[in-house]
Amino acid sequence: NTVTNLKTNFQNAWSENDTGKGIIQDILDIFNDILSTINSITADTRDWAAELDFSPLLTSVKSLLDSILVSKILSTELII
């Protein structure tokens, strides 16, 4: 029977020299490496965000908006 032969040969190859165990361990090691990388990225992002200072950005936005407002007022006064 073809299916039985395939099953038997696959089981033999899987069991020989702990090949199947090695495959599963390799998959778990890869998964662990991925999780460690994600953990490192999130920790670095957390540290970066903790030191982030939005003051210069918001001060610049406020200055820009003030300039636009002054320009609008001046242009309105010059037209009138």
Side-chain angles (χ1 to χ4, degrees), residues 15-75:
S15 299
E16 185 177 328
N17 297 321
D18 288 330
T19 302
K21 182 179 176 183
I23 290 170
I24 296 299
Q25 187 61 56
D26 289 346
I27 291 169
L28 292 175
D29 290 345
I30 291 168
F31 188 65
N32 190 46
D33 288 344
I34 291 169
L35 291 177
S36 294
T37 300
I38 291 170
N39 188 45
S40 177
I41 290 169
T42 57
D44 290 344
T45 303
R46 180 198 61 228
D47 295 344
W48 170 76
E51 300 297 321
L52 203 54
D53 181 8
F54 285 104
S55 295
L57 173 66
L58 296 179
T59 301
S60 295
V61 170
K62 175 74 169 98
S63 177
L64 175 65
L65 294 175
D66 288 345
S67 296
I68 292 170
L69 183 60
V70 167
S71 295
K72 181 180 177 190
I73 291 170
L74 290 176
S75 68

